[in-house]
Amino acid sequence: MNSHELLQSAIAEARLGLAEGGLPIGSVLADPSGNIVARGHNLRVQTGDPTAHAETVCIRNAGRRRDWPQLTLVSTLSPCIMCTGTALLYRIPRVIVGENQNFLGAEDLFRQRGVDLVVLNDAECIQMMADFIRAHPDLWNEDIGT
């Protein structure tokens, strides 16, 4: 799968989160062949776990692995500092971001560590997050610690 196809899978996860009453942020983890090895979406509202951001849920769902340095993390939204730190901890070398217009995460940390960061600024991701923030500013502000 290419970057856009992987992003579509992350968008499907984001839609699941929204349908469950949570935030529309999704993530997938792919191997070098483009096969998805794990999926996740933000579960913070659904589980009451403040650390259950899409990327950390996805990485948790991947389980114990030894191939982290060959994987690609895809997220519909620019990863926050916690999710960035988790990806850096496991030495994930490539991160694809759906959009960073509604929220700019710790992308500078990825760049400092030599991570191949691709920001697609996908119109669907931008619109989905903007609509959610407008409709649920309380949940959004709680999610990002404001």
Side-chain angles (χ1 to χ4, degrees), residues 10-11 13-15 17-18 22-26 42 44-45 53-55 75-80 97-105 121-144:
I11 290 171
E13 285 294 319
R15 287 188 190 122
L18 186 60
L23 282 83
I25 305 168
N42 188 299
R44 191 187 56 75
V45 172
H53 289 198
E55 301 87 347
S75 180
T76 57
L77 186 65
S78 182
C80 73
V97 173
E99 69 107 342
N100 64 4
Q101 302 301 297
N102 288 293
F103 177 76
L104 178 61
N121 277 323
D122 178 84
E124 184 176 359
C125 289
I126 294 168
Q127 190 65 55
M128 181 169 41
M129 200 69 237
D131 290 347
F132 181 83
I133 292 169
R134 193 170 22 265
H136 305 283
D138 54 332
L139 287 179
W140 170 245
N141 290 331
E142 182 183 318
D143 196 64
I144 61 168

Side-chain angles (χ1 to χ4, degrees), residues 30-76:
D31 69 14
S33 298
N35 299 311
I36 294 173
V37 299
R39 299 170 182 273
H41 53 273
N42 188 299
L43 292 171
R44 191 187 56 75
V45 172
Q46 298 92 310
T47 64
D49 178 355
T51 67
H53 289 198
E55 301 87 347
T56 57
V57 169
C58 182
I59 290 170
R60 188 177 305 131
N61 288 341
R64 293 179 62 194
R65 307 186 67 88
R66 294 178 187 229
D67 63 345
W68 298 108
Q70 284 111 39
L71 301 179
T72 296
L73 181 67
V74 183
S75 180
T76 57

Side-chain angles (χ1 to χ4, degrees), residues 100-121:
N100 64 4
Q101 302 301 297
N102 288 293
F103 177 76
L104 178 61
E107 293 178 9
D108 57 328
L109 295 179
F110 282 134
R111 289 187 184 98
Q112 288 170 13
R113 293 289 193 93
V115 171
D116 177 15
L117 180 67
V118 178
V119 180
L120 299 175
N121 277 323

Side-chain angles (χ1 to χ4, degrees), residues 1 8 38 88 100 107:
M1 286 191 192
Q8 286 304 309
L88 291 174
N100 64 4
E107 293 178 9

